[in-house]
Amino acid sequence: MDGKDQTDCERVQRSIPLFVSGRLSDGEMKDFIRHVRHCRNCQEELMTYDILEYGLKEKKTLPHTDAESLRLIRDYDFQGLMRKQLADMETEVRRKEAWEHLSVLALGIADIATLAAMALMLLEQW
């Protein structure tokens, strides 16, 4: 592993608590997911964090309550759970990006409509 990879791993591993709690920005989330998908060491760190976090909770509340996540936990498939967690967060980031693009498009359309209305008013006065 070269120095850049080691630095990336250290940065990503420090970000694991922020990822799990959903406190990474969308850009940070994309970088985190991209790295973890391809880095076995960081995948293992993320799984270890999830397992320890659940084990240390007093009330043993599950952070994941959908049926698929509960099945993965019941089957002790923590690698599957980690992959699902990454996919869910990636879907959320993409959804947010799509809404941002749509809102920019809507604003652009509104601007064009305003300009068209102004042009019509000027033509009527001319």
Side-chain angles (χ1 to χ4, degrees):
M1 184 180 308
D2 65 21
K4 183 181 186 313
D5 290 340
Q6 182 65 31
T7 302
D8 288 346
C9 287
E10 290 169 359
R11 178 184 49 77
V12 165
Q13 290 175 15
R14 281 192 310 271
S15 299
I16 288 174
L18 299 173
F19 169 77
V20 170
S21 66
R23 292 184 292 153
L24 292 176
S25 70
D26 291 345
E28 292 168 330
M29 185 72 68
K30 286 170 68 173
D31 291 343
F32 181 94
I33 292 167
R34 186 178 308 116
H35 179 89
V36 172
R37 283 201 189 278
H38 302 287
C39 180
R40 188 158 181 78
N41 288 337
C42 290
Q43 288 174 16
E44 290 174 4
E45 286 294 322
L46 179 57
M47 282 189 296
T48 300
Y49 184 90
D50 270 349
I51 292 166
L52 287 174
E53 182 182 41
Y54 173 71
L56 292 174
K57 286 185 177 180
E58 287 182 30
K59 294 186 178 184
K60 303 292 188 229
T61 56
L62 296 172
H64 316 283
T65 56
D66 60 280
E68 177 66 10
S69 295
L70 293 174
R71 183 192 64 76
L72 292 167
I73 292 168
R74 186 187 67 238
D75 294 346
Y76 299 104
D77 183 358
F78 296 108
Q79 189 170 23
L81 184 62
M82 181 213 45
R83 282 193 302 267
K84 183 181 180 317
Q85 184 180 17
L86 289 171
D88 290 348
M89 291 296 226
E90 190 171 40
T91 299
E92 179 65 18
V93 168
R94 286 185 179 154
R95 185 190 63 76
K96 286 180 184 177
E97 287 176 339
W99 275 112
E100 287 173 9
H101 291 294
L102 284 174
S103 60
V104 168
L105 179 62
L107 288 173
I109 291 170
D111 288 345
I112 291 170
T114 302
L115 290 172
M118 290 172 62
L120 287 173
M121 287 173 41
L122 287 173
L123 283 174
E124 286 177 359
Q125 289 177 0
W126 190 56

